[in-house]
Amino acid sequence: VQLQASGGGLVQVGESLRISCAVRTTLAYDTAWFRQAPGKERELVAAFPWRGDRPWYAESVRGRFTVSRNSAKDTVWLRMNSLKSEDTATYYCAVKTDSAPIYRISNYIYWGQGTQVTVSS
């Protein structure tokens, strides 16, 4: 499994940004976006199931962030609206290939390299 995250950048508070994760694998997989801010633990932000039916969101981003996938199932996006300064972090995409619930953090064993999102006020 190979993952490549991209699309991070510097935006202002209230603006939007979409980050992408290119996934290379022959396996069925669930995808998650995590983030980690300096001095803080890595946090699960959103998850998208292989079946595409019921994404999961952290309470801190629900209603502002949307996770989606293309029809080829090789790219997963995280659309971030109404960005806040506290959304500043390195964002990582990760994949799991088992049948555990998509919010099961420890089951995500394949990771991309991270993309930096900075929200400036």
Side-chain angles (χ1 to χ4, degrees):
V1 179
Q2 295 180 319
L3 306 174
Q4 180 74 42
S6 63
L10 173 64
V11 296
Q12 301 294 314
V13 168
E15 293 185 339
S16 298
L17 190 67
R18 189 180 74 169
I19 55 179
S20 302
C21 179
V23 183
R24 299 292 179 263
T25 180
T26 59
L27 304 173
Y29 60 91
D30 301 324
T31 310
W33 285 99
F34 292 79
R35 68 185 179 187
Q36 188 166 22
K40 295 188 176 181
E41 293 187 356
R42 191 168 293 186
E43 172 190 19
L44 175 61
V45 174
F48 192 88
W50 172 251
R51 294 192 307 177
D53 51 354
R54 297 178 66 178
W56 181 95
Y57 298 96
E59 184 63 34
S60 58
V61 306
R62 191 171 297 133
R64 300 189 297 122
F65 290 13
T66 302
V67 60
S68 60
R69 184 182 63 195
N70 67 348
S71 58
K73 298 182 179 177
D74 60 8
T75 303
V76 177
W77 298 290
L78 183 68
R79 174 71 177 186
M80 303 178 287
N81 295 330
S82 302
L83 281 161
K84 306 175 181 180
S85 56
E86 51 263 44
D87 295 317
T88 295
T90 301
Y91 284 72
Y92 300 89
C93 59
V95 156
K96 68 175 187 69
T97 57
D98 60 16
S99 58
I102 59 174
Y103 50 80
R104 188 72 57 80
I105 295 174
S106 60
N107 291 57
Y108 286 91
I109 61 173
Y110 303 102
W111 292 81
Q113 85 287 8
T115 185
Q116 178 66 37
V117 174
T118 303
V119 184
S120 173
S121 57

